[in-house]
Amino acid sequence: MSRRSILLKGTLILTLTGLCTRVMGFFYRIFLSHTFGEEGMGIYQLVFPVYALGFSLTCAGIQTILSRLTAKNTALGKEKEARELLYSGLLITVFLSCIVTLLLQKYANSAAVNFLRDPRCEDLLILLSYVFPFAAVHSCICGYYFGRKETGIPAVSQLLEQSARIAGVLLIYHIGKSQGVSFQISLAVIGLILGELASSSFCLYMLRKQETRRMHTPSFLGLARHAPKLLVPSLPLTGSRVLLNLLQSTEAVSIPLKLQLYGMTGREALSVYGVLTGMALPCILFPSALTNSVSTMLLPEVADLQAVKDRSGFLSLVRKTACSCIAMGSICCVFLFVTGPWIGRWLFHSSLAGTLIRTLAFMCPFLYTNGTLISMINGTGKTSVTFLINGASLSLRLFSVFLLIPLFGILGYLWGMLASQILVFLSCLIFLIRFSGKRL
């Protein structure tokens, strides 16, 4: 099968999977917003920066490096080495995730009070800590198959994760309701655990099934030999992602606080934050299922083009990807601008959600393109460049949080988000064009 056919097939599988999970997640969020209210959604969204930080510390960097090294070794016919890299990655990430789990459980109260500034998050953080070991297994195995450009198992695991999460929460909720038991928003965090448990179990089952057929058992020396190949290049990537997540966490925690400086009460500020992150942004990100699929497939594709020094193919890939994503984003921009008030009013029962969706619609052409361009830069191995670009983008958003929100409310933050997306778009294009001429 040709390179183009493999790319299109993988993108199609991931896109269909992404659309299914987005549709499921969209209605799931409607259920959460109706059941727990805007303030409950705000509390739930507050713990996600901690989730992202823990994921970055444990497996995000290794997953990216594992995918890239798997693509390289598979292209060279080194199947055994690729599998040993996977086993090394699993041992490292599961070990790190267990440490993060224990630390988060011990310091959940301090994190909730001093970092998230809301003691109600303590129970959510304790529950969230159990997610990381399962997420480590899931991410490593998916990274391995993405490197092999085999998207079937990651796609099914993604569907299974979303299905288990939603079905588990709905089942527990309705059983509890029939027994007269009322639940808090922590039920949604239990859903995260159920989803990762189901997806990691499926990935392990499929991996063991394939490895039994290949009759290959990795040796301890082989695992130890490959560990530095994963750890050394992943350290700067992990460090950059941790730093970016710390900035994102600062941003997330500061938004409700700065909204209070604008004149809102604590409850009103948390409700606005919940509407923005739990209703409006997921609606804007819904069409990105396609671009996320393209991003996933582009990383190993760019690594292949770089290996053979195909400058014209690289430039063609940049041009076609950018033009396609911009076109799709422009169509989505018009659609969301027109239908935003209706979506907020009829689906979320929130007029504020409709206003935010209409304002955020202008980001779509840049937002959908930036993910693919960032993935292409990571595919070249220049992860430090993506860190600088994302760091500049976050700095601009933090500027809007600390200086614009107290003056203009949440609208000031939305202006900062739009400006940051434009900055990322221009920076990525300039780098990719210059890189293709100088380095390929």
Side-chain angles (χ1 to χ4, degrees):
M1 188 179 294
S2 66
R3 174 181 287 145
R4 181 179 180 183
S5 299
I6 294 174
L7 181 62
L8 290 176
K9 179 183 176 182
T11 301
L12 178 62
I13 292 174
L14 292 178
T15 299
L16 293 176
T17 305
L19 287 175
C20 289
T21 55
R22 292 294 173 93
V23 170
M24 295 163 65
F26 188 73
F27 288 103
Y28 177 57
R29 285 183 178 274
I30 293 175
F31 163 76
L32 292 179
S33 64
H34 290 177
T35 305
F36 301 107
E38 294 178 349
E39 186 179 10
M41 289 295 290
I43 297 172
Y44 177 55
Q45 292 298 135
L46 275 178
V47 303
F48 272 91
V50 178
Y51 176 63
L53 181 60
F55 185 79
S56 298
L57 280 169
T58 56
C59 51
I62 288 181
Q63 181 190 19
T64 302
I65 300 302
L66 177 61
S67 180
R68 193 167 189 270
L69 291 178
T70 299
K72 177 182 176 181
N73 285 301
T74 302
L76 297 174
K78 299 179 180 179
E79 296 285 344
K80 179 181 177 181
E81 186 165 345
R83 290 194 294 273
E84 288 182 343
L85 282 165
L86 167 62
Y87 298 136
S88 296
L90 283 171
L91 286 176
I92 294 169
T93 55
V94 171
F95 175 73
L96 292 175
S97 62
C98 289
I99 294 176
V100 170
T101 296
L102 294 174
L103 289 175
L104 187 55
Q105 289 181 357
K106 183 177 181 179
Y107 298 105
N109 179 263
S110 299
V113 175
N114 301 320
F115 182 56
L116 300 181
R117 305 293 179 90
D118 196 320
R120 292 173 293 181
C121 293
E122 180 181 357
D123 292 338
L124 275 67
L125 291 176
I126 293 174
L127 288 172
L128 184 69
S129 66
Y130 294 102
V131 169
F132 298 114
F134 304 118
V137 173
H138 182 202
S139 65
C140 274
I141 296 177
C142 285
Y144 169 73
Y145 283 109
F146 284 140
R148 294 175 57 88
K149 300 180 184 177
E150 298 176 8
T151 54
I153 292 176
V156 174
S157 70
Q158 186 180 353
L159 275 175
L160 188 61
E161 177 192 354
Q162 188 77 307
S163 301
R165 177 190 305 180
I166 297 173
V169 169
L170 292 177
L171 182 63
I172 295 173
Y173 175 78
H174 287 296
I175 291 176
K177 188 176 181 181
S178 65
Q179 301 295 325
V181 179
S182 60
F183 292 99
Q184 301 298 321
I185 193 62
S186 56
L187 178 62
V189 182
I190 296 176
L192 293 175
I193 301 173
L194 295 175
E196 289 292 353
L197 174 61
S199 60
S200 60
S201 299
F202 169 77
C203 287
L204 281 173
Y205 170 77
M206 295 304 298
L207 179 66
R208 183 175 181 181
K209 183 178 178 181
Q210 291 191 0
E211 292 309 298
T212 301
R213 187 171 65 248
R214 292 179 177 132
M215 299 298 291
H216 170 70
T217 303
S219 64
F220 176 78
L221 290 178
L223 298 181
R225 179 168 57 90
H226 291 297
K229 297 180 182 179
L230 290 170
L231 284 173
V232 173
S234 69
L235 284 177
L237 182 59
T238 299
S240 64
R241 290 198 177 187
V242 168
L243 181 56
L244 290 175
N245 276 304
L246 286 174
L247 292 175
Q248 289 174 333
S249 301
T250 302
E251 175 190 39
V253 172
S254 300
I255 290 174
L257 298 177
K258 297 305 175 182
L259 285 172
Q260 294 180 49
L261 291 180
Y262 178 65
M264 294 183 177
T265 65
R267 184 169 185 174
E268 289 173 341
L270 199 57
S271 296
V272 170
Y273 178 73
V275 171
L276 172 65
T277 56
M279 302 179 194
L281 275 176
C283 185
I284 294 295
L285 292 171
F286 183 85
S288 65
L290 174 59
T291 56
N292 287 346
S293 304
V294 174
S295 300
T296 302
M297 296 303 298
L298 279 176
L299 193 150
E301 181 68 16
V302 169
D304 287 351
L305 290 172
Q306 185 183 12
V308 298
K309 299 183 180 180
D310 186 355
R311 180 178 182 273
S312 61
F314 183 85
L315 280 173
S316 176
L317 189 63
V318 172
R319 182 174 63 252
K320 291 178 180 178
T321 301
C323 291
S324 300
C325 292
I326 290 172
M328 188 190 83
S330 300
I331 295 172
C332 292
C333 173
V334 174
F335 174 78
L336 291 170
F337 182 83
V338 173
T339 62
W342 178 86
I343 293 174
R345 187 167 55 252
W346 291 102
L347 294 183
F348 294 111
H349 298 173
S350 172
S351 58
L352 175 61
T355 302
L356 295 180
I357 290 170
R358 170 170 276 187
T359 307
L360 289 168
F362 292 101
M363 292 197 313
C364 289
F366 309 103
L367 182 65
Y368 301 158
T369 309
N370 290 344
T372 58
L373 298 181
I374 288 290
S375 182
M376 294 178 77
I377 296 177
N378 283 334
T380 65
K382 298 296 182 180
T383 53
S384 59
V385 174
T386 61
F387 166 69
L388 292 175
I389 293 174
N390 287 326
S393 171
L394 271 171
S395 299
L396 191 55
R397 279 160 48 184
L398 284 172
F399 169 83
S400 68
V401 169
F402 286 97
L403 295 182
L404 298 184
I405 288 182
L407 297 176
F408 304 101
I410 197 64
L411 185 61
Y413 177 65
L414 302 187
W415 293 340
M417 289 185 70
L418 176 60
S420 69
Q421 292 298 325
I422 295 174
L423 174 64
V424 172
F425 174 76
L426 294 176
S427 301
C428 288
L429 274 185
I430 292 172
F431 172 81
L432 287 170
I433 292 172
R434 294 187 63 185
F435 178 85
S436 65
K438 288 184 176 181
R439 299 298 300 273
L440 280 180

